[in-house]
Amino acid sequence: EEEPLYTSPPVLLLSLAVSLVNACVAMTEPMIPLFLSSPPFSYSTRDIGLVFSAQAGAYLVCTPVFGGMSDGVRGRTPYMVLGLFLCAGGMCIMLSTEEVGVTVAGLALVGAGIAAVDAPSVPPSPPPPHPQARGSGS
């Protein structure tokens, strides 16, 4: 008898990695605005949004990069582990400074880490069909 999918160790590890990364996002979204809106920063809502764009921008750039690399020879696991370390490092950097530039760098690392975990967790897309496989067309 085949074991249920939810008891498979790879599925459990994948679920744990994705959950940890999502916890990173869930912690930064309420924490950073409070941090940046209080002294010594006292940033406006617009400026806080601009600081947050570092995380979104890093995610946008890194997702296709890590997705493509994870389909290669090394497989998905090393990139997911790297992503967990990037998230942890980014969180430590953000919490250890009072400088906005360093906070932005930490957020960018978190965004790259999220991409490194999320992109390999999605199954690869099937290749596009060959143009001649659609039929004669005449």
Side-chain angles (χ1 to χ4, degrees):
E1 184 175 318
E2 202 172 307
E3 80 176 66
L5 190 59
Y6 61 85
T7 61
S8 167
V11 171
L12 291 173
L13 289 173
L14 173 70
S15 299
L16 177 64
V18 171
S19 296
L20 287 172
V21 165
N22 285 322
C24 258
V25 174
M27 288 178 7
T28 58
E29 286 181 359
M31 181 181 67
I32 297 298
L34 292 173
F35 176 65
L36 293 176
S37 64
S38 61
F41 303 113
S42 302
Y43 273 26
S44 69
T45 306
R46 180 185 67 95
D47 292 339
I48 292 170
L50 289 173
V51 169
F52 257 110
S53 68
Q55 182 176 343
Y59 182 80
L60 179 73
V61 169
C62 293
T63 299
V65 172
F66 284 119
M69 290 190 315
S70 70
D71 290 339
V73 177
R74 291 191 182 130
R76 298 167 183 273
T77 306
Y79 297 105
M80 295 179 82
V81 171
L82 173 66
L84 291 172
F85 279 108
L86 287 173
C87 283
M91 294 293 282
C92 290
I93 288 170
M94 285 187 305
L95 295 173
S96 67
T97 186
E98 291 186 359
E99 294 185 29
V100 174
V102 179
T103 301
V104 168
L107 276 168
L109 277 177
V110 169
I114 295 166
V117 171
D118 277 355
S121 70
V122 177
S125 301
H130 193 275
Q132 295 174 347
R134 288 190 281 163
S136 64
S138 42

